[in-house]
Each structure stands twice: as structure tokens, then as C-alpha cells.
Amino acid sequence: MSIEVQNISKSFGRFKALRDVSLRVDSGELVALLGPSGSGKTTLLRIIAGLDAPDPGPNARVLLSDEDVADRSAGSRRVGFVFQHYALFRHMTVFENIAFGMRVRPRAERPDKAAIREKVTQLLRLIQLENLGSRYPSQLSGGQRQRVALARALAIEPRVLLLDEPFGALDARVRQDLRKWLRRLHEEIHVTSVFVTHDQEEALELANRVVVMNEGRIEQIGTPDEVFHQPTTEFVMKFLGNVNLFHGRVESGKAVFGPWRIQASGGASKEGAPARLFVRPHDLDILRESDGSPVAPAVVRRIQSAGPHVKVELEMQTGETLLVELTHERHKILQPEVGEQVLVSLRNVRIFTEDYAI
Amino acid sequence: MLHKPKTARWPGYCCIFITIAFLTLFLALPLTIVFTEAFRGGIAAYIAAITEPDARAAIFLTLLASAVSVPMNVLFGLAAAWALTKFEFRGKSLLLTLIDLPFAIPPVIAGFLFILFLGTNGVFGPWLQSADIKIIFAVPGILIATLFITFPFVARELIPLMQEQGQDEEQAAISLGASGLKTFWHITLPNIKWALLYGAILCNARAMGEFGAVSVVSGHIRGATTTMPLHIEILYNEYNFAAAFAVASLLTLLALVTLVIKSALEWRLKREKRLSAEEPAAEEGVIP
Amino acid sequence: MALRHRRQHFLPGFGLTLGYTVLYLSLLVLFPVAVLGFKALSLDASVYLNVLTDPRTLAAFKLTFGAAFAGAFLNLVFGFVVAWTLVRYPFPGRRVVDALVDLPFALPTAVSGIALTTLFARTGLVGRILEPLGIQIAFAPAGVVVALTFIGLPFAVRTLQPAIEDLDPEYEEAALSLGASRLRIFISVIFPSLKPAMLTGFALSLARALGEYGSVVFISGNMPLRTEIISLLIMGKLEQFDYAGATALATLTLLLSFLILLAINIVQWRFSHKARQAD
């Protein structure tokens, strides 16, 4: 089932949580809403669920399976919502928690006891907690609570599944495991899902598509590959991974940053306009001798080789610090030393001037 | 908590001694006095004192006052706590303050408020008189004064608890398709039942024991508008001490029962709080 | 209580519960209080003057407020010792004692009144011992203080107890390891951190004492100019149907109590403000 929001705004008092947001999630997708706190991602999720109402507007609409649900209450939208802190019913067992959504249905639609039991057992198997049905939430670990919350949401056979920071309260190792598990679960049951996260790694690893949000707006929508490798805004560039920043100017149609002059392909900017160059640490290389490409001199300040990459901190002549990530092979060949004069070259860069990005 | 430095122990003994001495003088002795005085005239006199018609009428009226004010204030407490903890609106803190107002008004003045409000010369006096409704110096007045005095008890217990519990569980229930009433019944009520009972117990104790406010609006008609505390006063002022203490002993038993239930509930509430604040269990059975 | 219009609430029942709350509160509390307010404003100034110049009123004010302060202060001292003992020193029967502290709260005031009177009267269990020493408690101002101390005790203990429980032993241990004496530790470590709770306990037991009637009327003996409290004076005026005089007295009492409690609140606010600034 698809989800679509159109022209949604939401303010809390003077604070604008969402500013004219539109988004479509197709059936079967697993989409991440990624952004820093206060970016409006949770608010958007709650509006889809009907837990919050958007500001009234002539074109503001929320559609589930292309049906306008503005007048549908949260309870009748058949949306599975997994709360950030799980919101398990503390006085009910795991079994009762999962069964709740079925048991509170009006008598005519309520499955009989055996059917409920069957369904709950099946869900318990799905979340691999078959033996813990009679435990209370307080007797469960964080990861187990998370899975129970998910099963409870799935029990109502939701049209879409919404998860608010699903792994936010868990420790790193459990997070990893649950991430993989959720990915597999989604492949298995294929329910349209949207989850909120502020962890870029989580979003990139888990989602088919990532929606990057900032200050109530959508910055970019794209596959993990797209948002990581072709960020369309500075914010996306900065938010997804480490990045080095150079300040420069536009000179005769080219953006100039020290020794680097980069052709501005799409329409020239105003002469002298400020430009900013972003380059990821792994898109920088260290050279001993110039290979013909433009290079800038720098001094090695720090080398940290523990980890998947070797991190080298360089100081430019302007005093700016650069972070370079080398592969271990490259590092072995180069063997840079602290204090050594080296040359830096660029591979893949993104430049942002006042009005466009290259 | 039991970190006893290995220094002198006398301060501890001193504190225990002062505590026991002070509480004996102020709590244990008065408690004992009530029962010794009550049985001074023997068991037969005791039974006679609590079964004579006026005493029976007083007991009945006291039970009535409690039977009216406990449910009314439970209902009010639930409504107020729901409105004040589940929603944001302007004037909320003012409303919270106003709910506590009856605690800040001396009982005698509280009773007087209702004389001004509903008495013969009061605001509604002429109207009530023409409709032939007597409230002040009659049973309804006693009930209203008791309602006023016990007004905040339930709300005060519920509001902080429900504030702390937040509304996540209610939201989850609604998103799972539960109706408002079902959410309240299956989710909210089980979470607050002990606090609700606690508030009701305190409300009941106060309702049965209220003296000042009731005294003002009662008119002291023996066997008709006297509650147990007022009956005790009348007997005491007639120097019928044994009978006064006999009736008082019933209220004292009620107080003791209240204390027992109260500390049992406190223990439960503390435990539940601890349980809900507890860190999750250690991770186990992580998915392969 | 203007509600923000067009505000959509997610949970149901807002209008119903708020409406009921406001209606019930208004009927039972706000209207009656407002009636007193109107009545108080419509009174001639001479009524207030009469009340204020009546030596009986002045004596009653002095006794009520004086005894309430004395009782609240005694509760602060003994309440602290009791709370400290209950938290820090386990002794057999502690749980019973702990539960018993609430007795004055649960016991109807009329019962407390006659029990305390019988205990402290000249022929009573305690009065008999004090009589030869020339100390009279029942039917004397001291009796009022005793009754008010009794009434306020749970308020003092129950506010101090959690504060003492929350005291971090680390501070004491740190002070002890620095070689401070126990008295020193108490004065410079424990006392300052309990100050806000002490003030709250004092305010609560004072507020309760200012309005207390049931327990006092029995033990005081109600002698004009000597052992009459304000509530009793109001009662007397009501019996003579002097509603104007009663209104004046009630209004003055309420104003004075609110002012005192407000002052305590301000001091308390300053404490917590200072504590926050120090953080």
C-alpha cells in the first residue's frame, strides 16, 4: 500500500516543525526519514499515522493507498506504529500486548479466541520470542521489547508500518543485529514501511530510499547511493559522513580554490561569488610528486591507522585542517610520516555556489 | 542507605530514643486513651453507647457522607487528571492551583462559604426557600461541605502519576484501533488503580472525620444532622466521656484500618514505580 | 481559560473531562469563594474596623498565628529527628512506627481533640505529671500548641523523609574523609541540602495549623482573650448570625494566611533559584 503526503505543514506554537512537505512512498518500499533532531521527521511520521494533525491547508493531504485519510482517526487508518520507547502496556504480558489490537475490535469484526491465539503464536515465532509470551515488558531486554512492539503493530495487519527511531534506545551490538533482522523481515512480509532515524549509517544500510530532512523541509530523496554520492545540497553532503570544506570564489566561470580551478558546468555564477567545495576524506589522495593534476602542498600532522581506513590529518598552508582517508594498501606504499611535506590531490568533489551545485 | 560509618553509635541511639519518646507521647498515648476511656464503663455500656438511636443515626450520616463524596471525588479526580495530563491547553497551571484551593481554606471558613452561598440569607437562599429546599442546617449541607473538604484528594494523587506515565501507552492503544473508552478502561485504569485507591482511601478518611466545616452547616440537630464527630462533641460537652470515647473508638479503628491500607498501597506504588523505572533486562537471545 | 481554537486533540475526551472538571470546580469551589469575595468587598469599612479593634479578635489572631508558628517549628525539629531516625537507623518495629506517623492525618480531629485533652488535663495521664511542676497544658495556650503540633507532624515528617532518603551519602563520606566532625558535617553538608524540604514541611504544617479547629476546641477551653482561636470566633459570630462580622474575620484570616504562605513560597523559590544558579 502506498503512502502519500502533499503540502503538509505543522507548527507547534511558533515553532515550525514541517514546512510544506510532499512525499510519496510506493507499495512495498522501506523508506528512511533521516535528519537531525528537530528536523520534523518524527512529526511527519506521526501525521501519517494520524497521531498528530497537520496544519489545515487547501492542498494539504495525507493519502494511504491513494485514499484521503484526513477524516480517518488513527485507530481506523490501520497503520502499525512502533513507538520510540515501545510504549508496551506494562500491566499486560507479551501475549496480551500483541493480542490487544485484535481484542479491542468491535465484536462483529473481532476474531475468535482461537484465531487470536493462533495469530499471536505466529507473531511470537516471527519475532523469535515463542517462549516469552507470558512475561511482562519489565522482564524483557531492550531488543526484546522492540520486537514485541513490532509484533503488536503487525498484529492488526497494518497497511503500512511506521517506526519511530526503532533502534534509538538500544546499544550498538543489538542495534546491528536488529537492523539485519528488520531488513530480512521486510523482505519476507513486504509491508510498506517508513522509519525515522538520525543515524545515517542505519538509514543507508536499511532503506531502499532515504529522505533527508532538515528544519522541516525535505532536502533530498534518493536511493542510499544517490544521497551519499550525489548529494544535492550542502546539508546532505555534511550530514552523510565526514567532509572537508574549502572556501573559494568564482572567477571567469570557474570555481577557484587555491591551486584548484574547477569548471562550473551548469551556467556560470556571478563573478566573484563565494563558492564552497566539499570533498569526502576518501576522495582525497596524498602524493609525493605532482602527477600533473592540480595539487596543494600540506604538512602531515597526525596518522591514525587503526580501523578500516587510515586517517591522515593534514595542515594546509592556509592553516586549514584536512582529513584524508587512505586505504591500508595506499598507506603501505606511501608510508607518510608526521611532519612530512606532501601534496594533496582531489578526485571527486562537489561545489556549491550561491545558486547551484556542480 | 545503610552505610554506617564506624564512628560513635550514640547519635543513632539518641535519635531512636527521641523518636520513640516523642511518638509515644503524641501518638501511642492518645491512641491508648481512646480505647481505655471507651471501655471505662464496661463492655455493656460501650455497646449501648454505639447502638443507641442517636449514635446509629450519626453513624449512618457519616457513612452517607463518605458514600457520596468518595465516588463524586473519584469521578472528578479521574476527569481532572485526564484533562490535565493528556492535553495541553492554556490556563492549565491555574486550574492545577485552583484544585488545591480547598486545602488552603480553613474548614470553618469552608462551612461558612456555603452558608453565604446556600443559606437562608445567602445568594441562592430566597430561591431555595421558595422551592422549599433546605440545604444548610440539613443533611444536604453536610454532604456538600464534605465534598468541598475532600475535593482535591483523588485528583492530587492521580495527576502527578499520570503526568509521569505520559501518554505513550494510550497513543499506542488508539493506534491499534481501541476506542477512547476501551483505552481508558484497559490501559489507563490498570496503570493508575493503586493511586486511585490510595486517593479514595484518604478521601474516605477525611470525609468520615471532617469536623469544622460540617459543624458550621449542620445545625446540630441530634439524631438528624449530626455526623459521628459532631455526635462525639455533643456527648463530650455533656460530660458523657465514656460514650464520647466509645463512638470515637469506632472512628479510631477506621483510622487504623486506613493506615494499614495506606502503607500497603504505598509499598505497592513504590514497587511499581521501581519496576517501571527499571533498566531493561540484559540482552539475551539476540537474533543470529 | 480560553482554549486555542481549531486545535485537534489526538486522545478523545478532552472537552468532556475538562468541561466536567471546570463545572464541578466552579460549582463546588469557585462560586462559593467568589460569594465570600463579593460579600467582603460590599462590607462597610466600619465592620472591618470593629473586628480589628476588638481585643478578642486581636487576642485570637495572636494565639492562632503564634501557636501555628510554634507548632510548625516544633514539628520541624521533632519531624526532622523522626524522619532522620526512620531513614537512617533501622530498629525493630520501624515499619509500624513509620505507618503510625500518619495517624494525626487519618484520625478525625474531634477524636484527637478529646484524646489529647484527656491526656493533658490536670487529671490525665500526662497532665498529672506536669501539674506538680506548675505546667498547665490543657485549657491553656500551651494546649493549642500541643494540638497543632500533633496535627502538623505527618506533614513535616513526610516532606523531610524523601529528602533525607535522597541525600547522597557520598557527600557525607567525602566530608568525613576530609576529617570533618559529625556536627560540622551536619551543619555544613546535611542541613543546607535539606533546607528546601524543611521549608516545605514547615509551610505545610503551618497551613494545616492555621485552619485547624476540631482538635483545638476541646483542649483550649475556649476562654475569651486567652485561649480562643479565630475559627472559634467565626463559629461564635455564626451562632449569633453575625454574617458581616464573620465575613470580615474570615476574609482577614484568609488574606493573612495567604500572605504568609506566599512569603514562604518566595523564600523557597529563591532557594531553588540559588541552587540552580550554583549548578
Side-chain angles (χ1 to χ4, degrees):
Chain A
M1 315 281 166
S2 64
I3 304 170
E4 186 160 6
V5 296
Q6 295 171 356
N7 309 102
I8 294 294
S9 296
K10 174 75 180 175
S11 20
F12 295 103
R14 227 174 284 157
F15 175 69
K16 286 208 179 329
L18 289 175
R19 304 160 194 251
D20 197 26
V21 167
S22 299
L23 171 69
R24 186 179 163 85
V25 177
D26 286 320
S27 190
E29 274 195 295
L30 176 56
V31 167
L33 298 180
L34 173 67
S37 54
S39 60
K41 52 195 193 309
T42 296
T43 308
L44 183 57
L45 198 73
R46 291 174 62 87
I47 285 176
I48 296 171
L51 294 172
D52 268 323
D55 292 345
N59 304 317
R61 297 210 292 165
V62 178
L63 305 141
L64 294 180
S65 313
D66 300 313
E67 171 209 354
D68 195 329
V69 290
D71 300 324
R72 294 268 222 112
S73 72
S76 60
R77 287 189 188 187
R78 288 237 339 266
V79 163
F81 199 95
V82 178
F83 290 80
Q84 189 178 356
H85 302 290
Y86 323 134
L88 294 179
F89 307 132
R90 68 194 93 180
H91 62 281
M92 292 184 195
T93 62
V94 167
F95 187 98
E96 291 166 333
N97 261 283
I98 298 174
F100 183 83
M102 292 180 272
R103 285 181 176 166
V104 294
R105 272 190 226 162
R107 201 171 292 273
E109 304 166 28
R110 197 183 307 159
D112 62 33
K113 277 205 173 124
I116 291 179
R117 174 160 291 279
E118 168 70 34
K119 177 88 190 168
V120 174
T121 315
Q122 188 194 327
L123 282 164
L124 280 170
R125 211 174 305 131
L126 184 72
I127 59 168
Q128 301 172 3
L129 294 177
E130 288 109 313
N131 303 320
L132 301 185
S134 56
R135 290 228 190 146
Y136 284 91
S138 60
Q139 300 166 309
L140 298 181
S141 72
Q144 291 168 336
R145 289 181 197 182
Q146 171 62 48
R147 282 181 276 157
V148 173
L150 196 64
R152 186 178 67 177
L154 289 174
I156 58 167
E157 289 170 358
R159 299 195 286 185
V160 299
L161 188 60
L162 307 175
L163 305 104
D164 188 6
E165 296 271 3
F167 314 115
L170 301 171
D171 42 281
R173 201 173 54 86
V174 185
R175 216 180 244 245
Q176 286 280 357
D177 290 337
L178 265 181
R179 221 187 269 170
K180 272 187 237 148
W181 176 76
L182 186 67
R183 170 103 228 179
R184 281 208 310 267
L185 182 78
H186 181 258
E187 278 160 13
E188 209 173 299
I189 59 177
H190 239 77
V191 56
T192 313
S193 308
V194 179
F195 70 98
V196 155
T197 180
H198 60 264
D199 181 341
Q200 38 124 346
E201 207 182 303
E202 201 167 283
L204 296 178
E205 192 183 314
L206 199 50
N208 311 126
R209 275 204 303 155
V210 179
V211 178
V212 185
M213 296 190 67
N214 181 37
E215 290 184 341
R217 288 201 185 84
I218 292 180
E219 293 270 339
Q220 186 174 0
I221 305 177
T223 63
D225 231 38
E226 280 165 358
V227 293
F228 190 76
H229 291 299
Q230 290 141 40
T232 52
T233 69
E234 282 186 49
F235 175 81
V236 177
M237 184 85 196
K238 279 193 258 181
F239 194 71
L240 293 171
N242 284 324
V243 72
N244 291 298
L245 166 67
F246 297 90
H247 290 280
R249 312 216 142 259
V250 175
E251 277 174 28
S252 51
K254 285 185 173 175
V256 178
F257 306 89
W260 297 298
R261 302 173 70 82
I262 292 152
Q263 183 64 46
S265 54
S269 203
K270 230 173 43 196
E271 187 71 9
R276 283 177 299 282
L277 178 144
F278 291 88
V279 55
R280 299 236 185 258
H282 62 259
D283 283 332
L284 286 167
D285 199 8
I286 294 178
L287 303 171
R288 288 259 158 65
E289 286 158 29
S290 173
D291 60 354
S293 68
V295 289
V299 179
V300 178
R301 284 294 173 221
R302 223 176 97 84
I303 300 171
Q304 195 229 310
S305 58
H309 304 286
V310 180
K311 291 178 176 161
V312 182
E313 224 178 87
L314 301 176
E315 190 182 320
M316 307 280 290
Q317 277 175 333
T318 52
E320 286 168 297
T321 311
L322 269 188
L323 182 67
V324 180
E325 271 176 24
L326 301 175
T327 60
H328 281 279
E329 292 89 51
R330 180 84 187 130
H331 177 246
K332 250 184 220 135
I333 295 167
L334 275 174
Q335 303 266 354
E337 275 169 41
V338 174
E340 194 190 337
Q341 274 276 354
V342 292
L343 300 170
V344 192
S345 82
L346 305 177
R347 267 196 302 260
N348 189 9
V349 302
R350 296 200 77 76
I351 297 167
F352 296 94
T353 55
E354 293 293 80
D355 48 355
Y356 70 97
I358 300 172
Chain B
M1 197 171 15
L2 307 179
H3 58 99
K4 280 178 282 181
K6 285 170 192 63
T7 45
R9 306 186 79 172
W10 62 266
Y13 291 130
C14 253
C15 279
I16 296 176
F17 175 77
I18 296 175
T19 299
I20 302 271
F22 182 74
L23 295 185
T24 306
L25 178 67
F26 267 81
L27 302 179
L29 282 182
L31 208 53
T32 327
I33 285 269
V34 171
F35 291 102
T36 52
E37 292 292 317
F39 286 102
R40 181 151 287 203
I43 291 185
Y46 178 84
I47 291 173
I50 59 174
T51 52
E52 53 117 355
D54 287 352
R56 282 216 305 263
I59 292 170
F60 174 77
L61 188 54
T62 294
L63 290 176
L64 181 69
S66 146
V68 169
S69 50
V70 173
M72 287 290 281
N73 286 329
V74 162
L75 196 63
F76 164 74
L78 286 172
W82 184 266
L84 283 163
T85 61
K86 304 291 177 201
F87 305 98
E88 287 303 321
F89 56 92
R90 240 179 279 176
K92 190 165 158 172
S93 50
L94 176 70
L95 197 56
L96 268 169
T97 316
L98 288 177
I99 287 176
D100 272 344
L101 195 59
F103 278 165
I105 296 177
V108 169
I109 296 180
F112 175 49
L113 292 180
F114 288 101
I115 289 190
L116 287 181
F117 192 39
L118 304 167
T120 325
N121 301 316
V123 184
F124 286 101
W127 182 80
L128 288 170
Q129 222 159 14
S130 67
D132 203 23
I133 303 172
K134 196 164 160 64
I135 291 182
I136 297 304
F137 306 133
V139 173
I142 292 175
L143 300 181
I144 291 173
T146 311
L147 272 180
F148 178 93
I149 292 291
T150 56
F151 176 81
F153 279 103
V154 181
R156 263 172 83 99
E157 293 305 324
L158 293 185
I159 289 170
L161 182 73
M162 284 170 68
Q163 196 99 54
E164 200 185 294
Q165 290 182 343
Q167 38 174 298
D168 277 10
E169 289 184 40
E170 280 84 1
Q171 293 196 356
I174 298 261
S175 83
L176 290 170
S179 65
L181 221 55
K182 272 186 177 157
T183 301
F184 174 76
W185 187 255
H186 292 296
I187 305 300
T188 310
L189 206 54
N191 278 341
I192 59 169
K193 58 178 185 249
W194 299 121
L196 185 66
L197 190 57
Y198 188 86
I201 290 288
L202 296 188
C203 178
N204 177 61
R206 191 68 201 266
M208 289 194 167
E210 179 47 30
F211 182 71
V214 169
S215 176
V216 172
V217 295
S218 127
H220 299 95
I221 306 159
R222 254 185 118 135
T225 64
T226 50
T227 60
M228 286 166 82
L230 297 178
H231 189 62
I232 293 172
E233 185 198 21
I234 293 174
L235 292 171
Y236 190 83
N237 288 342
E238 287 170 348
Y239 302 103
N240 192 351
F241 296 139
F245 276 105
V247 179
S249 73
L250 294 179
L251 286 175
T252 308
L253 281 177
L254 169 81
L256 290 176
V257 170
T258 302
L259 287 187
V260 171
I261 299 177
K262 187 168 174 285
S263 43
L265 284 176
E266 265 159 15
W267 181 77
R268 265 218 105 96
L269 279 169
K270 245 188 197 167
R271 204 186 58 153
E272 267 190 13
K273 212 174 203 177
R274 222 181 27 234
L275 265 182
S276 63
E278 216 164 72
E279 289 291 303
E283 296 293 346
E284 53 174 280
V286 170
I287 301 136
Chain C
M1 214 144 303
L3 301 175
R4 246 172 266 165
H5 54 267
R6 295 199 57 85
R7 170 116 201 194
Q8 273 179 293
H9 292 287
F10 166 69
L11 288 173
F14 177 65
L16 181 74
T17 53
L18 184 68
Y20 181 71
T21 303
V22 172
L23 180 76
Y24 189 73
L25 177 78
S26 305
L27 285 180
L28 197 59
V29 181
L30 299 186
F31 285 160
V33 172
V35 168
L36 177 73
F38 278 122
K39 178 101 181 157
L41 288 176
S42 65
L43 282 188
D44 208 58
S46 65
V47 181
Y48 288 102
L49 214 62
N50 275 340
V51 166
L52 277 177
T53 49
D54 183 354
R56 247 176 102 179
T57 324
L58 293 179
F61 266 97
K62 242 200 260 168
L63 177 68
T64 307
F65 284 91
F69 267 101
F73 182 74
L74 282 177
N75 273 327
L76 202 55
V77 176
F78 287 104
F80 173 78
V81 177
V82 172
W84 186 263
T85 310
L86 288 176
V87 174
R88 290 292 174 97
Y89 305 111
F91 58 90
R94 182 172 67 157
R95 284 199 56 166
V96 177
V97 174
D98 194 27
L100 212 58
V101 166
D102 280 325
L103 183 71
F105 182 78
L107 198 65
T109 52
V111 179
S112 327
I114 60 172
L116 287 173
T117 311
T118 311
L119 192 63
F120 286 99
R122 213 168 292 173
T123 52
L125 220 52
V126 178
R128 235 181 331 211
I129 304 167
L130 296 175
E131 159 100 283
L133 305 172
I135 303 171
Q136 194 193 353
I137 289 190
F139 314 122
V144 180
V145 176
V146 165
L148 295 184
T149 309
F150 175 85
I151 285 302
L153 182 71
F155 294 90
V157 177
R158 291 298 179 230
T159 38
L160 281 166
Q161 223 171 351
I164 295 173
E165 271 168 14
D166 283 349
L167 276 184
D168 194 342
E170 266 183 29
Y171 291 108
E172 285 164 67
E173 280 158 10
L176 210 59
S177 73
L178 294 170
S181 72
R182 282 182 154 236
L183 187 68
R184 184 86 225 153
I185 292 172
F186 181 80
I187 292 172
S188 53
V189 179
I190 297 170
F191 181 70
S193 45
L194 289 183
K195 242 182 347 191
M198 287 184 139
L199 208 57
T200 310
F202 182 80
L204 286 178
S205 71
L206 180 73
R208 179 71 213 266
L210 284 176
E212 180 51 24
Y213 174 71
S215 58
V216 177
V217 280
F218 293 100
I219 202 169
S220 73
N222 308 325
M223 288 162 281
L225 294 171
R226 218 180 138 233
T227 60
E228 248 180 356
I229 55 164
I230 305 173
S231 288
L232 191 79
L233 272 191
I234 296 176
M235 205 70 165
K237 292 208 186 299
L238 291 180
E239 266 156 26
Q240 296 154 25
F241 299 101
D242 175 12
Y243 290 165
T247 304
L249 251 180
T251 312
L252 290 171
T253 312
L254 282 178
L255 282 180
L256 202 52
S257 338
F258 282 149
L259 280 179
I260 290 172
L261 296 177
L262 185 71
I264 294 179
N265 264 327
I266 289 173
V267 175
Q268 199 156 31
W269 182 81
R270 283 201 155 168
F271 272 163
S272 57
H273 199 63
K274 241 194 251 166
R276 234 174 296 138
Q277 272 179 340
D279 270 346

